[in-house]
Amino acid sequence: MSAPTPRSGRLLRSPVVRHDGQWWLVSGAGSILATDPTFTGEMDGFAAAVAAADQAVADLRVRQDEPPAPGCGGQR
């Protein structure tokens, strides 16, 4: 199951922003709507991969906070 692509927000530390389902290239000089389907498809895939990685890290952090199950290692 893949993670949903965020509807809005900046993609990491990049000049790419997703707003209302559309990708925009943003700079100090202005913004340009990205319309190339190959580019926007790659951005969708990358954003989904980043969201999945973020979720995996969050899941690991939750698991680290849980006490270990009996019989699963620990001290001898």
Side-chain angles (χ1 to χ4, degrees):
M1 179 174 165
S2 63
T5 303
R7 183 138 175 94
S8 296
R10 183 171 295 273
L11 186 58
L12 299 174
R13 294 172 297 271
S14 74
V16 182
V17 176
R18 186 169 181 89
H19 181 69
D20 290 333
Q22 296 180 311
W23 288 105
W24 291 81
L25 304 175
V26 180
S27 75
S31 302
I32 299 172
L33 176 63
T35 58
D36 180 86
T38 301
F39 176 76
T40 57
E42 288 296 318
M43 296 308 302
D44 287 340
F46 185 68
V50 168
D54 287 346
Q55 185 60 53
V57 169
D59 292 345
L60 285 172
R61 287 183 176 151
V62 167
R63 286 178 36 198
Q64 286 178 340
D65 291 342
E66 294 174 356
C72 292
Q75 296 183 0
R76 295 179 186 203

